[in-house]
Amino acid sequence: MGDDTTLGTVVLGLEGFALREATLVDGEVCLAVETVGRRPGCPDCGVVATARDRRTVQVRDLAIGGRPCRLVWSKRIWRCREPLCPTATWTERRDDVARPRHGMTERARTEVCRQVGKLGRPVAQLAGEYGVGWQSAMHAVTDHGVPMIDDPARTAGVSSLGVDETSFLKASYLRKRRTTFVTGLVDLNRSRLLDIVPGRAGSAVTDWLEGRDEPWLSAVERVALDPHRGYFNALVGGLDAPTVVVDAFHVIKLANTVVDEVRRRVQQEQTGHRGHAGDPLYGIRRILLTGAERLNDKGQARIAAGLAAGDPDAEVWYAHMIKEQLRSVYRADGLGQATERLEAFFDDVAAVAIPEIRRLGKTIRRWRTEVLTYFETDGLSNGRTEAINGLVKRIKRIGHGFRNIDNYRIRLLLFCGGVNWQDHPTAHIRRRSPRLIA
Ligand SMILES: [Zn+2]
């Protein structure tokens, strides 16, 4: 038996196995293998076992030479000869190679997890490639992925925390279902998604923080968040006096929403219907949200023409101006200038009786301190959170919409949660070997 062990170990990569036969069946590589080595002791009494029988088990393994592969493992059944021993017979096991009832080798399952988790491939695709059901493939992802996700090292050392809501299921997925939200927690320094929790209430964040230990909590110095009181209270209550920045991206988004709202209202008042192609304001709905500094002369002229035709009381114009004013706060050169610009913004908000703008002014005023803190934290923002949201969307697309939030969470954290994938180091192949040339 001896030499085969080495061959088995090298070619199969399975310590203690021997390769007996390799056949090609319907384009699939079938490897007949068995364990080699000394007879084991009885697990109960330790008496050396005697061979009784064999049983063949087939498991899917990693592909070989581009072909699907199955291990045909001839398992030994051992018998204990000790008359007083309660154990009569047992089948050999190698849980490091393949666990009972998994249908796949552990290394194949690890690979399925890597492909789905690290590379973001669809579970169904891997299930197809390995000839297993979707559930088996997803179990492989869960079994191998969860320990990596739960590794405390993954979430260690966070000093800047971002909190952001993201939609989980779009309402259109099924008509009946409302859009549900999850809250994402992000390490802003290292751009990794720490976790997602269901809902967008402050309690979701509080509960998550309660799961961290004291050193973790006290290491968080700064937080960036959506302008959302629930998040604010949870973070200030759960952390040790953090510096709070309301996220610049979301502040601008609020202003953009106001431009949209005013435009829709004026549009309705002027035309008596919702925006149609051909309506002057509808035609400039997107360009109104574009940063003014990014518009060329043609863009400016389009806005001017659209407003001249559809905005007789200059309400949309005012909303647009206010939005640009708020944006200019973030381009300020330092806290002093930012404060001046923000005050000018408040003055201009107060100068008109446009309800949408008044509301925006009120909201921003409530967050005045946290808006300006941006300038004391080197511009801490959820910009990276937004980048992660992009990845979130990608995973959602791949998953064709998720219904199960646990699976969604696992896949997201494996993809952008800073998981430490321990891949095999691969040596570069030299196309010519110097020794052979000589
Ligand atoms: Zn025994």
Side-chain angles (χ1 to χ4, degrees), residues 181-400:
F181 287 87
V182 294
T183 299
L185 298 117
V186 177
D187 176 354
L188 293 177
N189 294 120
R190 275 178 278 186
S191 293
R192 35 178 193 175
L193 183 63
L194 297 169
D195 215 335
I196 61 166
V197 291
R200 52 176 166 174
S203 57
V205 175
T206 301
D207 291 348
W208 190 83
L209 290 175
E210 275 169 4
R212 311 300 109 188
D213 58 16
E214 195 47 51
W216 195 96
L217 295 172
S218 56
V220 179
E221 293 164 1
R222 314 187 298 177
V223 293
L225 67 154
D226 289 4
H228 175 347
R229 275 300 146 189
Y231 288 162
F232 179 87
N233 294 336
L235 290 164
V236 169
L239 293 168
D240 185 13
T243 303
V244 182
V245 182
V246 56
D247 184 47
F249 176 89
H250 285 95
V251 170
I252 301 304
K253 207 162 118 184
L254 288 178
N256 278 338
T257 304
V258 164
V259 173
D260 254 345
E261 285 170 355
V262 174
R263 175 188 55 79
R264 285 210 201 92
R265 178 172 54 75
V266 172
Q267 201 164 257
Q268 183 80 36
E269 287 164 4
Q270 292 300 309
T271 64
H273 56 70
R274 290 176 47 183
H276 288 181
D279 292 344
L281 291 181
Y282 188 77
I284 56 170
R285 67 194 184 286
R286 286 205 194 91
I287 202 170
L288 277 173
L289 305 182
T290 308
E293 75 284 353
R294 286 170 52 207
L295 291 179
N296 53 20
D297 291 347
K298 203 177 139 201
Q300 311 263 17
R302 270 184 64 202
I303 289 192
L307 293 178
D311 184 34
D313 300 326
E315 288 183 278
V316 180
W317 174 80
Y318 207 87
H320 179 260
M321 188 272 288
I322 284 285
K323 181 260 290 183
E324 286 302 321
Q325 208 167 4
L326 193 55
R327 292 183 70 246
S328 80
V329 171
Y330 285 100
R331 290 198 302 275
D333 187 17
L335 178 62
Q337 195 178 42
T339 310
E340 278 171 28
R341 289 184 181 183
L342 190 60
E343 290 311 322
F345 163 84
F346 286 135
D347 288 346
D348 286 343
V349 162
V352 290
I354 300 171
E356 295 90 345
I357 292 176
R358 281 291 174 87
R359 212 163 3 89
L360 174 69
K362 255 190 204 166
T363 305
I364 303 296
R365 195 177 279 286
R366 279 200 296 270
W367 293 99
R368 188 181 178 281
T369 309
E370 290 78 19
V371 167
L372 290 173
T373 304
Y374 179 84
F375 294 90
E376 293 167 336
T377 56
D378 302 327
L380 183 70
S381 96
N382 273 346
R384 285 169 172 175
T385 316
E386 294 307 319
I388 286 180
N389 275 343
L391 297 176
V392 167
K393 282 180 187 135
R394 182 183 147 180
I395 292 291
K396 268 203 298 203
R397 254 198 324 275
I398 290 168
H400 302 298

Side-chain angles (χ1 to χ4, degrees), residues 393-428:
K393 282 180 187 135
R394 182 183 147 180
I395 292 291
K396 268 203 298 203
R397 254 198 324 275
I398 290 168
H400 302 298
F402 278 82
R403 272 167 283 191
N404 181 325
I405 193 165
D406 293 325
N407 290 350
Y408 177 63
R409 174 177 174 271
I410 288 166
R411 297 206 43 198
L412 279 178
L413 293 179
L414 288 176
F415 192 63
C416 49
V419 160
N420 181 22
W421 295 95
Q422 285 175 337
D423 294 336
H424 253 298
T426 310
H428 253 290

